[in-house]
Amino acid sequence: QVQLQESGPGLVKPSETLSLTCDVSGYSISSGYFWGYIRQPPGKGLEWIGIGYRNGDTYYNPSLRSRATISVDTSSNQYSLRLSSVTAADTAVYFCVRYTYYLDSSGPRGRYFDYWGQGTLVTVSS
Amino acid sequence: QSALTQPPSASGSPGQSVTISCTGSSSDVGGYNFVSWYQQHPGKAPKLMIYEVMQRPSGVPDRFSGSKSGNTASLTVSGLQVEDEAEYYCTSYAASDDLLFGGGTKLSVL
């Protein structure tokens, strides 16, 4: 059973960098899949942040690409998010997720989030 | 403003069917068969209900079904049950390796 657990500071000051780590259990991230983050501002909808692969490949939401960095660490079976220059608009519950994407004889398949962490609230405030 | 458009709310009585729409463009919903749907109960993480437009993950009741016509995808919940009351979100792969979410639809079971 794949389990994801977010960890990191619950409070970050404006203009600083938000840092989160996701611990993965029940699956070795060195075996494959993309790993990423989705966030949800209080009372609002979901927003995709980005995904990363074991080889360093990353893909980001165009609106966050300049500030977001996702790193995958196969040695510790963890991955992390750094979001720089945060403002109050970055206050949200941050979920870590597993993203399924693969190729078969018919071409690309998947492109969905099949495992989610419980989420962690990060508040940006001075 | 979300990239994919969903109605803010939908409702039905137990046993009835309800359909939630998700409208995009030819660059996302209409251009790819990579629409997925997620169910979120208050205070919980979302749960995958449908992927690749109409595929159901193991464990999801067959009361949940997905379809697509043109630039609009739909989630239908048949035989509504009280526990189906939740927020539902659609997503779609989009050109240039982007992933778009809908704004969410609150389903009420009256």
Side-chain angles (χ1 to χ4, degrees):
Chain A
Q1 174 74 347
V2 178
Q3 293 187 311
L4 309 176
Q5 179 66 57
E6 306 87 354
S7 61
L11 181 64
V12 181
K13 290 182 167 53
S15 80
E16 295 190 345
T17 296
L18 178 160
S19 296
L20 293 175
T21 297
C22 185
D23 283 304
V24 180
S25 59
Y27 187 83
S28 172
I29 61 178
S30 63
S31 297
Y33 288 97
F34 282 85
W35 306 87
Y37 287 89
I38 288 169
R39 70 181 183 179
Q40 184 171 37
K44 296 188 178 180
L46 301 168
E47 180 181 34
W48 172 63
I49 298 173
I51 54 175
Y53 196 63
R54 59 185 176 181
N55 65 355
D57 285 350
T58 52
Y59 300 87
Y60 298 104
N61 183 326
S63 68
L64 296 171
R65 184 174 291 132
S66 64
R67 297 195 293 128
T69 302
I70 290 175
S71 303
V72 176
D73 183 354
T74 56
S75 63
S76 61
N77 219 42
Q78 296 178 330
Y79 62 100
S80 62
L81 168 71
R82 289 174 58 84
L83 186 67
S84 64
S85 305
V86 297
T87 69
D90 295 308
T91 293
V93 174
Y94 286 75
F95 295 98
C96 49
V97 292
R98 189 179 83 169
Y99 181 68
T100 290
Y101 168 73
Y102 60 98
L103 297 172
D104 68 11
S105 57
S106 63
R109 300 292 303 276
R111 290 186 166 134
Y112 54 85
F113 303 102
D114 54 359
Y115 286 95
W116 297 64
Q118 65 185 25
T120 187
L121 174 63
V122 179
T123 300
V124 178
S125 175
S126 55
Chain B
Q1 186 175 356
S2 301
L4 304 180
T5 300
Q6 297 181 235
S9 63
S11 64
S13 299
Q16 289 186 332
S17 293
V18 65
T19 296
I20 299 170
S21 63
C22 171
T23 301
S25 72
S26 59
S27 297
D28 38 74
V29 174
Y32 307 94
N33 288 323
F34 295 120
V35 175
S36 52
W37 290 89
Y38 302 84
Q39 175 193 66
Q40 186 180 33
H41 288 109
K44 300 294 187 181
K47 173 187 175 183
L48 177 67
M49 304 301 285
I50 295 287
Y51 66 95
E52 291 182 353
V53 177
M54 61 179 63
Q55 305 301 319
R56 252 188 333 272
S58 174
V60 172
D62 60 7
R63 303 185 293 102
F64 291 85
S65 62
S67 63
K68 189 183 82 166
S69 177
N71 296 336
T72 298
S74 298
L75 173 72
T76 297
V77 186
S78 305
L80 272 174
Q81 298 185 3
V82 172
E83 58 263 34
D84 298 334
E85 183 162 297
E87 193 86 20
Y88 290 84
Y89 294 92
C90 64
T91 75
S92 175
Y93 174 78
S96 303
D97 293 321
D98 200 1
L99 291 168
L100 307 177
F101 274 98
T105 298
K106 181 173 175 53
L107 174 61
S108 299
V109 182
L110 306 172

